[in-house]
Amino acid sequence: MSLNQWTKVAAVEDVPEGEMIGVSAGQVKICLARIKGKYYAMNDICSHFATRLSGGELYPDQLEVECPLHDSRFSLVDGSPHEVPAEECVDVYAVKVEGEEILVGPREPRADSD
Ligand code: FES
């Protein structure tokens, strides 16, 4: 599901350094991560079997999230899967900080889009 506008999803203090949380932007479930002070947002629903990725493992050095169900890893940068069984990308979103609030916005181009 796409996002068409910037939406407040969390406060800066809600996302500790090196961790991720599950948030919502309207109907869109989002996995929001903070790595070295930078925020990353990807769709929280695994492309393989609809599990929430925010319940998995964050790998800050690789900028990847590992699905808790079958261990596929997804790039926080472009949403591409780096491990099977997932073969499809998940959507990634732009993130900006205004004051103490984190906003998520329109989708970044996916790795598998033209
Ligand atoms: S549900 Fe995520 S890899 Fe299977």
Side-chain angles (χ1 to χ4, degrees):
M1 189 175 288
S2 63
L3 282 178
N4 297 320
Q5 61 186 22
W6 290 98
T7 305
K8 294 175 187 172
V9 294
V12 168
E13 65 186 20
D14 294 335
V15 193
E17 174 59 40
E19 295 188 24
M20 60 182 174
I21 63 172
V23 297
S24 296
Q27 307 242 333
V28 182
K29 305 289 187 212
I30 291 172
C31 174
L32 181 65
R34 179 178 176 181
I35 300 171
K36 295 179 182 165
K38 183 175 165 74
Y39 295 92
Y40 298 86
M42 63 163 41
N43 195 293
D44 201 14
I45 307 302
C46 181
S47 62
H48 179 237
F49 199 62
T51 300
R52 292 199 73 164
L53 294 169
S54 58
E57 194 80 25
L58 178 65
Y59 289 85
D61 290 340
Q62 289 78 28
L63 298 178
E64 291 177 350
V65 173
E66 185 178 81
C67 177
L69 198 54
H70 304 119
D71 303 336
S72 282
R73 288 195 188 189
F74 294 90
S75 166
L76 284 163
V77 177
D78 62 12
S80 60
H82 291 173
E83 298 282 346
V84 292
E87 295 181 343
E88 293 182 24
C89 291
V90 295
D91 289 337
V92 293
Y93 306 98
V95 183
K96 66 180 179 181
V97 176
E98 288 184 354
E100 295 299 310
E101 306 214 294
I102 302 170
L103 295 87
V104 174
R107 192 178 81 184
E108 306 268 337
R110 286 181 10 173
D112 61 353
S113 63
D114 295 326

